[in-house]
């Protein structure tokens, strides 16, 4: 997805190989469930962000791997646990881990991936600061997920807050880990970019899932905008416009990061904008 | 419970205060559930083991806290997730977290405590090795829990393997973290002591819970011994004798650790033996 990967010595396939290696020393049933989850797809966006930032900041391959691997593993742990918490039976067009392997295996698989994410930090040059950044990201993600589970139809503003809490920290984390390793400032800026990207990404998802979310009683920005008096077609337009604005915000913060460390965030923003335009212009 | 705490500058109450501090920056609902869980009791055995080993090895208060805190947080995370996985509604005579706060909050609370355990490692002098030891302990614990969930009535030998896998690693972990910090050998020995203590501890628990485990269909060493042809009274006697033997094994390994690092394990073995005698002599 990102062109900048070809300039780094660590490739996305190396990250997948490292995940495989981690799973080889894991309990068989949990490793099988994790492999099943990863093999169902996923663009490894957070790993790509980490590799991109590491390349821009000229970090070593070992450190680049740490920046890519920890957020990617945490993201997938959160998907496995979220699907169980939300009762979502399908992920990436196949049964979710809990639906395929049972709830107990899904809990253990998510636990293992959280633990593995922290082991990846062993290769970070500033483990103490990196551990703090990872825990902060986990804490805020859990906050967002907990609020999401307990909210039926939030106001549009509250929807955006929850989307940023739930998905922003793990988008920003790969950049934050690379910044810490390079000893340069910008973590707050990266987090603001991550939050804006999270809102844009979740809006795209919600526009596509509006009908199924209505049927399932899930939160959705279109339904939140409809609930405050907008007709469905206008709700979609407003959602699109807010997502465009979020992408502008994301690019502004990403471009403000030192040493081009936010280039991969800009690439992600461009990709999301292209998808948004397709959806916006679809009837 | 352990006398040796009075010789260290870090007290068990300091560990509880540090847990409180960690929860202050946590999402409110999750922090409330975690506080509820911790306030219901628990002897903080793993924290005490860490403080004891740190005192014996003359580690600094900051490192002692890391050795105590990480295993204690992981243990409690495992209790919260295990109760949900096993469908156990009661823990320490009060409703289990999932039963009181819901399954989604229980999953998030366990996740938060796993993450917080790793942050505690930030103060360890060899974070890379410590992270590896923590992840190894988590991996084996998950293996034990997964096997336990999937086993109805194991043979007595398999029961012991699962008990060691499930509870041994987090008993040994505080000692292992202290040994790594002091740059002395003995991790394998500590793990063997931990495994033996786990078998003794679980046997005690099973003898007390034999009737309720029979009713609930839970695994239990007494039921496993009965299933291979022993009358209940003989099954209890065999279980007691195996627990005494496990405690001898635990003491042997604990005493083999350098610099008296296993003293707190011996104290735990003595405590368990005293409880075992009470049960053994009860009609």
């Amino acid at each position: 997805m990102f062109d900048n990967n070809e300039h780094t010595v660590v490739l996305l396939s190396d990250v997948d190989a490292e995940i495989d290696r981690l799973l080889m020393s894991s309990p068989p049933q949990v490793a099988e469930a994790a492999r099943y989850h990863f093999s169902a797809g996923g663009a490894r966006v957070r790993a790509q962000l980490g590799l991109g930032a590491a390349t821009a900041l000229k970090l070593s391959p070992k450190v680049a791997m740490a920046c890519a691997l920890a957020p990617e593993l945490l993201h997938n742990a959160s998907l496995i646990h979220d699907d169980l918490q939300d009762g979502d039976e399908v992920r990436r067009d196949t049964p979710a881990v809990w639906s395929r392997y049972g709830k107990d295996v899904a809990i253990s698989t998510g636990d293992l991936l959280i633990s593995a994410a922290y082991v990846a930090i062993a290769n970070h040059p500033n483990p103490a600061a990196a551990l703090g950044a990872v825990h902060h990201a986990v804490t805020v993600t859990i906050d967002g997920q907990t609020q999401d589970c307990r909210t039926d139809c939030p106001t549009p503003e509250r929807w955006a807050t929850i989307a940023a809490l739930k998905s922003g920290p793990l988008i920003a984390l790969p950049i934050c880990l690379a910044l810490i390793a390079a000893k340069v400032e910008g973590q707050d800026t990266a987090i603001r970019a991550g939050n804006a990207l999270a809102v844009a990404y979740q809006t795209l998802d919600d526009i596509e899932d509006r009908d199924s979310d209505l049927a399932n009683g899930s939160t959705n920005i279109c339904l939140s905008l409809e609930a405050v008096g907008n007709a469905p077609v206008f709700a979609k337009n407003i959602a699109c416009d807010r997502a465009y604005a979020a992408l502008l915000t994301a690019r502004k913060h990403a471009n403000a990061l030192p040493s081009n460390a936010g280039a991969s965030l800009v690439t992600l923003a461009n990709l999301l904008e292209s998808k948004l335009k397709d959806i916006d212009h679809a009837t």
Side-chain angles (χ1 to χ4, degrees), chain A:
Chain A
M1 172 174 121
F2 294 113
D3 291 342
N4 51 10
N5 278 349
E6 66 192 30
H7 303 303
T8 179
V9 281
V10 183
L11 302 171
L12 206 54
S13 56
D14 297 325
V15 177
D16 274 335
E18 188 60 21
I19 292 174
D20 278 344
R21 201 190 59 77
L22 275 166
L23 295 177
M24 281 175 65
S25 57
S26 303
Q29 279 187 316
V30 173
E32 184 188 328
R35 277 193 207 98
Y36 165 81
H37 170 81
F38 281 109
S39 68
R44 313 282 188 266
V45 168
R46 287 142 202 87
Q48 297 193 60
L49 292 171
L51 296 182
T55 303
L57 293 164
K58 300 184 173 38
L59 302 176
S60 75
K62 236 167 82 169
V63 178
M65 182 62 85
C67 298
L69 198 55
E72 191 61 45
L73 289 168
L74 287 172
H75 171 63
N76 284 283
S78 81
L79 295 182
I80 292 169
H81 280 182
D82 288 5
D83 283 342
L84 174 56
Q85 289 173 308
D86 300 341
D88 290 336
E89 292 182 9
V90 175
R91 156 83 48 196
R92 297 168 185 159
D93 298 326
T94 57
V97 169
W98 73 267
S99 176
R100 171 80 176 253
Y101 291 93
K103 295 177 184 181
D104 55 334
V105 171
I107 292 172
S108 291
T109 306
D111 290 352
L112 182 88
L113 295 183
I114 294 172
S115 183
Y118 274 100
V119 176
I121 298 302
N123 287 320
H124 193 282
N126 186 346
L131 289 171
V134 174
H135 183 56
H136 178 73
V138 169
T139 300
V140 179
T141 303
I142 287 174
D143 195 8
Q145 170 64 6
T146 312
Q147 291 195 38
D148 194 31
C149 283
R150 299 283 154 136
T151 307
D152 279 340
C153 185
T155 63
E157 285 65 36
R158 188 158 159 67
W159 176 93
T161 301
I162 292 174
L165 287 171
K166 198 176 157 180
S167 306
L170 293 182
I171 293 174
L173 182 61
I175 316 298
C176 290
L177 290 174
L179 292 169
I180 293 168
K183 297 181 186 167
V184 293
E185 300 289 317
Q187 283 191 64
D188 287 346
T189 307
I191 288 170
R192 291 173 77 173
N195 289 345
L197 282 164
V199 168
Y201 174 81
Q202 195 59 53
T203 302
L204 265 165
D205 217 41
D206 280 10
I207 293 172
E208 287 182 324
D209 293 346
R210 186 251 176 217
D211 295 347
S212 60
D213 283 346
L214 177 64
N216 298 335
S218 302
T219 59
N220 183 300
I221 183 60
C222 298
L223 301 173
S224 288
L225 287 163
E226 291 168 31
V228 292
N230 299 288
V233 65
F234 290 113
K236 182 191 161 188
N237 289 346
I238 297 168
C240 282
D241 285 342
R242 290 191 182 188
Y244 285 122
L247 291 173
L248 281 175
T249 303
R251 273 195 213 92
K252 184 185 81 174
H253 291 305
N255 283 321
L257 286 167
S259 308
N260 214 22
S264 57
L265 292 170
V266 174
T267 308
L268 177 59
N270 293 343
L271 183 87
L272 292 178
E273 184 161 285
S274 157
K275 286 190 181 176
L276 186 61
K277 281 181 180 163
D278 289 344
I279 287 177
D280 193 12
H281 299 144
T283 48

